[in-house]
Amino acid sequence: MTTYFSEPQSMYYRFGEDQDQVLKLLAERYIGANAQADFVYRVFQKSGILQNEKGLYDLNLSKRFPDAQKGQTSYAAALVWGDEDRNLDVLISCYGPVRFYFNEQLVYRSTVMDEINLDATVKLGIDIKPGWNTLLLEMKYTPAGFGCQFGSDEGKVRILNVLAPFQERQGQAGWVYSKPVRSEDSHPEWNLLGSEEDHRLDWLPDAQWSEEKQALPSLERIYGHLPGQQVFAWTRLVYRDSSDCPIRLSGQSSGPLNIWLNGVSAVQLKEAGPFQVNIPASYGRNDLLIRSECSTAEPWNFVINATVNGEQLELELPQRVHGASGESWLYLGPFESEDVEPDLQDLMRTDRVFKGKVLNDKEMGSQQTRKERIYWRLDRPEAWIRPYYENAMLSNKWTVGSVTNYGRWDYPLGVTVYGLLQTGRYLQRPDISRYASEHVQSCTLMDEYSLWDREQYGFPAVNQQLVMMKMLDNCGSFGSAMLEAYSECQEPTFLPIAERIADFMLTRLERQEDGAFYRECIGEFAENTMWADDLYMSTPFLVRYARLKGNNSALDEAARQFLLYRKYLFMPEFKIMSHVFDFKYGQATQIPWGRGNGWTLFSLSEVLEALPAEHPDRPALIGFFNELCEGYAALQGEGGLWHQVLNDSETYQEASCTAMFAYGFARGVRFGWLNQPARYFEAAERAWSGLTRKAIDRQGNVHGVCSGSRYAFTAEYYNKDLLTVTNDNHGIGIMMLAGTEVAKMKKHLAQPKVSSTVVTQS
């Protein structure tokens, strides 16, 4: 194994056998580096460039400019912020001639084959630098097509959030694009961080209402004239007076109006007219909520003035929204007038969508009726607020704790959350367990919104993998952690998500004829393959779902998958597992990747813990567990660690698989599944000792963890291409889990045994 730090920097050198201290530092370092950062809210205009289901921005300009002419060009521009150096693969699919400039350098010019082949997709690697990075697309019109699709490869995993250029749109999300113009054969040298006015082009989407719309009152220009319909408006009063003077609210309404301040009713108008009232308020920020009803005769509007001692109070948006400079109100509607009075506290939130007016047959396009789902918007053309996951992701290079992953639904984070939960429980640190469960809640509370977001914009801005669930990677690991966290918080939003995942696994997931899960992945690198990893991506969730719902079929399925995977992937000469079976070639790769085997043993221990003693598959699975443990123990390397490719001592020693084998051995000893427990007790101790000496430094950083894998038929790929990443989420959580299980094993063995011998005194 590569030496990442000198011996005095190791966790073992500093704390020796103090396992609790090691776990404490692992958890606290992770939490310190991944603060509880909320989603970022930005202005987004639905009339702008939307993404398709693959996450590619669809700049099909033929549809937007049907009158474009030969010789005309349109430009699209965006900014990407970089927290650190990272490489990103982007895809371009051309409708016509395209040039792509990244940071003002031409990095792609379409070929004739790119332009005429509708299925052609070009992959480019771009190096995002810290700070602002500029994207500029130059697209020429031809009768055959105009524009392109552009985005990141595997967009729901490697998220590419683009922001609008120009000072006037600072903070807004999305591309800007120009109306077609005649231009020279080279791109303009624009300062995308400068003023929009400097470029003398008509940029879309429109940032301001048209003159005709600007002449209308605010609610009328946003919603039109809808007699009998209602809209809510939400703002915050900033009250900085220390004299306890009441706030004077005054104004005018075009129709019935209700006003609440901090949830307390302040004004009730049954018809159009003026109002004035004095109400007490608290120092600081106070929520002001308005419900306005559109009357038949008057243009729809209301006017509010809030003063203290004659001085106007400042109004501000109740949710920080980037790109909304000058705005102070959020709007929600329209609602039917006869709707039941909403719960005000439930209304003043941005993590859910609401049921608005009933859609009629014409709007629905069918005979069915349902209520339109709505969300908060601004007094701008087609402008909604939109939450984005913008916490940085680990790059593919060495990095030490410089990023945050809080709030992301992602499979490596599933095992991280599980590790934090178990560490918090073992150390009796509810703050650690609470952090883990609140991470899960931050995702699940946005579930309803994220589904709506995809409907509106083509591709969700949050919870991408959960919403676009197409494979086990997208749901199983984090779903399992979610159900593990349910005992901590009893969060009701977990349950419908669990049902959705269970339905996917049990009824919709691709299977071989014998019922084995596999990856269909048509047209992708993993097409028609089975991965040992997927035992972890499926069975721990099924075990927890079975426990939650009393669903024996889910538990039976988890047991069955292990026996099926053994048939395809087991290497009897070594008693270990091949990483992948490739059905295209009808054979396993015969490369026993360390972490793939780690996932296998880890998950089998989870199933065995849940499987009743009388279950018909239990004897076979206990036998399989012993076979695997025997094979792994025989290949344990020098210093207690295992190699990246288990049976190839020329490959580097890897930390995450070592942690998983320690976890599995320790559980086997503690639960009594092993035929030779003493052998595996010693192996688990050696593994944990090796990790604290060579993989975990005294600051709690985790080294030697292999990056996320594809697959190959050669060991060289795993050794040379899959390099290690410091503080990679594939290893941090399992390190904590290994530590807790080894500690539990020691405590279990230290318990006094009940003697069967009775000593009597004569």
Side-chain angles (χ1 to χ4, degrees):
M1 178 176 173
T2 305
T3 300
Y4 294 102
F5 43 79
S6 60
E7 183 185 358
Q9 291 176 292
S10 73
M11 188 70 82
Y12 186 86
Y13 185 90
R14 175 66 177 83
F15 296 108
E17 302 290 341
D18 189 344
Q19 207 145 347
D20 289 8
Q21 187 64 43
V22 176
L23 289 167
K24 174 177 176 289
L25 270 179
L26 280 169
E28 290 181 348
R29 190 221 63 83
Y30 181 84
I31 293 172
N34 296 275
Q36 290 183 270
D38 198 2
F39 299 104
V40 176
Y41 287 79
R42 297 190 181 277
V43 176
F44 183 81
Q45 292 179 264
K46 191 177 177 182
S47 57
I49 303 299
L50 305 183
Q51 292 169 275
N52 61 22
E53 64 177 9
K54 294 181 179 180
L56 301 179
Y57 294 93
D58 192 358
L59 294 99
N60 189 340
L61 301 184
S62 293
K63 293 182 178 179
R64 294 178 181 266
F65 304 116
D67 298 327
Q69 299 176 5
K70 186 176 180 180
Q72 288 188 320
T73 299
S74 282
Y75 301 91
L79 303 175
V80 173
W81 177 261
D83 286 306
E84 60 176 1
D85 290 309
R86 70 181 178 114
N87 178 266
L88 182 70
D89 288 336
V90 296
L91 305 178
I92 302 178
S93 181
C94 300
Y95 295 121
V98 175
R99 291 183 179 183
F100 169 48
Y101 298 85
F102 179 68
N103 287 335
E104 301 182 359
Q105 300 296 314
L106 178 65
V107 296
Y108 169 72
R109 173 181 173 272
S110 61
T111 67
V112 173
M113 294 304 296
D114 296 340
E115 296 161 14
I116 64 175
N117 184 354
L118 298 178
D119 296 324
T121 299
V122 177
K123 180 187 292 189
L124 304 169
I126 58 174
D127 293 319
I128 295 175
K129 303 298 181 184
W132 289 114
N133 296 261
T134 61
L135 309 177
L136 181 65
L137 292 165
E138 179 184 283
M139 297 162 286
K140 293 184 180 293
Y141 169 83
T142 70
F146 187 16
C148 68
Q149 294 180 20
F150 181 95
S152 68
D153 189 19
E154 297 183 272
K156 66 184 177 184
V157 178
R158 295 166 179 83
I159 299 166
L160 175 63
N161 290 324
V162 300
L163 303 181
F166 308 135
Q167 294 171 353
E168 294 88 339
R169 302 176 188 253
Q170 185 176 3
Q172 296 179 23
W175 295 80
V176 300
Y177 61 102
S178 72
K179 293 181 180 179
V181 294
R182 296 197 174 272
S183 66
E184 300 297 329
D185 195 37
S186 61
H187 84 283
E189 295 181 358
W190 288 329
N191 176 14
L192 297 181
L193 298 174
S195 173
E196 186 173 330
E197 295 180 354
D198 294 342
H199 305 305
R200 298 189 301 276
L201 288 177
D202 289 327
W203 291 102
L204 300 171
D206 291 320
Q208 302 295 330
W209 291 107
S210 66
E211 291 184 8
E212 180 182 358
K213 283 278 192 177
Q214 287 181 23
L216 297 173
S218 57
L219 295 180
E220 193 90 3
R221 66 172 167 256
I222 298 172
Y223 296 103
H225 195 69
L226 301 172
Q229 301 285 299
Q230 298 177 349
V231 162
F232 285 90
W234 180 21
T235 189
R236 278 193 179 143
L237 298 175
V238 183
Y239 179 60
R240 295 192 174 95
D241 193 282
S242 59
S243 63
D244 291 332
C245 290
I247 291 176
R248 173 167 291 184
L249 289 179
S250 61
Q252 181 84 23
S253 175
S254 64
L257 187 78
N258 293 76
I259 301 178
W260 296 268
L261 185 67
N262 296 327
V264 177
S265 178
V267 174
Q268 294 182 5
L269 291 181
K270 293 185 178 180
E271 57 186 26
F275 62 87
Q276 182 172 297
V277 63
N278 292 335
I279 54 176
S282 303
Y283 182 87
R285 288 165 170 79
N286 296 262
D287 283 296
L288 186 68
L289 186 68
I290 311 291
R291 183 174 63 191
S292 174
E293 182 175 325
C294 183
S295 68
T296 303
E298 299 294 325
W300 196 3
N301 199 27
F302 65 84
V303 176
I304 297 285
N305 291 304
T307 60
V308 171
N309 291 327
E311 292 192 12
Q312 197 80 26
L313 291 183
E314 178 187 349
L315 302 182
E316 67 177 22
L317 289 175
Q319 170 70 55
R320 179 169 173 78
V321 181
H322 294 267
S325 176
E327 301 288 339
S328 54
W329 291 90
L330 296 179
Y331 300 93
L332 182 69
F335 293 89
E336 303 287 350
S337 298
E338 62 271 15
D339 277 353
V340 177
E341 182 79 42
D343 184 318
L344 298 183
Q345 295 304 315
D346 195 50
L347 188 70
M348 291 185 289
R349 53 193 290 185
T350 56
D351 60 358
R352 59 161 296 184
V353 291
F354 304 86
K355 292 181 180 179
K357 68 183 180 70
V358 174
L359 294 173
N360 58 41
D361 290 346
K362 183 177 180 181
E363 293 169 308
M364 287 287 296
S366 72
Q367 298 301 312
Q368 298 178 354
T369 60
R370 62 175 172 84
K371 287 194 173 183
E372 179 184 26
R373 296 198 299 165
I374 53 179
Y375 191 64
W376 295 101
R377 61 174 300 172
L378 296 162
D379 185 8
R380 294 186 184 183
E382 288 288 313
W384 274 257
I385 69 169
R386 195 176 180 195
Y388 287 85
Y389 178 83
E390 293 187 0
N391 294 338
M393 287 300 294
L394 287 166
S395 66
N396 291 324
K397 66 183 186 67
W398 179 300
T399 181
V400 181
S402 61
V403 299
T404 178
N405 292 289
Y406 186 85
R408 180 181 174 92
W409 182 285
D410 176 75
Y411 98 74
L413 288 170
V415 74
T416 305
V417 167
Y418 185 24
L420 288 164
L421 286 168
Q422 292 291 61
T423 299
R425 293 163 181 166
Y426 174 78
L427 296 176
Q428 298 183 6
R429 287 279 303 274
D431 57 316
I432 295 175
S433 298
R434 184 170 57 251
Y435 168 93
S437 61
E438 287 177 355
H439 178 149
V440 180
Q441 286 173 293
S442 68
C443 299
T444 65
L445 287 170
M446 294 298 291
D447 181 53
E448 183 186 18
Y449 170 82
S450 60
L451 293 168
W452 177 86
D453 188 282
R454 179 185 62 174
E455 292 175 4
Q456 296 299 302
Y457 308 120
F459 192 82
V462 295
N463 286 357
Q464 287 89 350
Q465 295 189 60
L466 175 61
V467 174
M468 312 294 287
M469 191 192 306
K470 293 184 178 178
M471 59 189 303
L472 289 170
D473 273 17
N474 302 150
C475 60
S477 171
F478 204 90
S480 177
M482 177 185 72
L483 293 185
E484 185 68 27
Y486 188 69
S487 62
E488 304 290 329
C489 59
Q490 301 291 304
E491 171 58 51
T493 55
F494 291 5
L495 302 181
I497 296 173
E499 294 292 349
R500 206 158 77 232
I501 296 172
D503 177 67
F504 171 74
M505 287 190 190
L506 296 173
T507 68
R508 295 187 287 118
L509 185 62
E510 302 94 348
R511 297 171 182 256
Q512 289 292 307
E513 289 185 4
D514 58 8
F517 297 155
Y518 82 112
R519 304 188 184 193
E520 190 174 28
C521 296
I522 297 173
E524 301 178 18
F525 77 92
E527 183 173 355
N528 208 12
T529 55
M530 170 189 284
W531 297 48
D533 314 40
D534 284 347
L535 288 168
Y536 171 70
M537 305 301 170
S538 58
T539 61
F541 171 84
L542 291 172
V543 163
R544 286 169 175 80
Y545 179 76
R547 185 181 300 137
L548 176 72
K549 305 294 290 187
N551 185 329
N552 290 333
S553 64
L555 186 58
D556 293 342
E557 187 65 74
R560 178 188 181 206
Q561 289 301 319
F562 270 97
L563 299 178
L564 289 169
Y565 270 58
R566 184 188 186 282
K567 180 175 70 172
Y568 289 99
L569 297 176
F570 189 60
M571 301 169 63
E573 67 274 29
F574 294 105
K575 297 185 179 180
I576 56 180
M577 298 281 274
S578 173
H579 181 204
V580 168
F581 191 98
D582 194 327
F583 292 100
K584 296 188 295 295
Y585 302 103
Q587 60 181 298
T589 60
Q590 297 297 307
I591 304 296
W593 179 43
R595 190 157 67 231
N597 277 268
W599 291 132
T600 302
L601 192 67
F602 176 102
S603 306
L604 184 51
S605 78
E606 300 261 301
V607 173
L608 286 175
E609 183 183 4
L611 211 60
E614 67 277 7
H615 194 282
D617 290 334
R618 185 174 180 84
L621 292 180
I622 289 287
F624 187 27
F625 185 83
N626 276 272
E627 281 183 304
L628 290 172
C629 288
E630 183 181 346
Y632 299 144
L635 295 170
Q636 189 171 18
E638 182 182 353
L641 284 83
W642 278 264
H643 290 276
Q644 165 76 334
V645 176
L646 296 180
N647 59 357
D648 188 342
S649 61
E650 297 300 313
T651 61
Y652 64 85
Q653 290 183 305
E654 202 273 335
S656 68
C657 73
T658 297
M660 286 194 242
F661 295 144
Y663 178 90
F665 289 176
R667 286 168 68 81
V669 171
R670 184 160 67 93
F671 288 114
W673 301 328
L674 291 163
N675 297 329
Q676 297 176 295
R679 178 185 184 187
Y680 300 105
F681 169 82
E682 188 272 338
E685 276 206 314
R686 284 181 58 219
W688 181 250
S689 176
L691 291 170
T692 60
R693 293 170 188 269
K694 296 187 176 183
I696 310 172
D697 69 28
R698 60 191 295 176
Q699 283 76 42
N701 297 302
V702 176
H703 304 258
V705 175
C706 164
S707 59
S709 172
R710 295 198 172 187
Y711 79 101
F713 282 85
T714 64
E716 184 178 11
Y717 163 75
Y718 295 88
N719 190 43
K720 300 297 185 182
D721 294 339
L722 294 185
L723 303 182
T724 62
V725 179
T726 301
N727 290 328
D728 189 290
N729 281 313
H730 290 89
I732 296 172
I734 194 60
M735 215 64 61
M736 288 184 271
L737 287 165
T740 59
E741 284 299 332
V742 170
K744 289 175 184 177
M745 175 186 70
K746 291 178 180 179
K747 288 185 177 182
H748 169 75
L749 294 175
Q751 292 175 355
K753 304 299 185 290
V754 178
S755 175
S756 60
T757 302
V758 178
V759 179
T760 61
Q761 186 175 10
S762 59

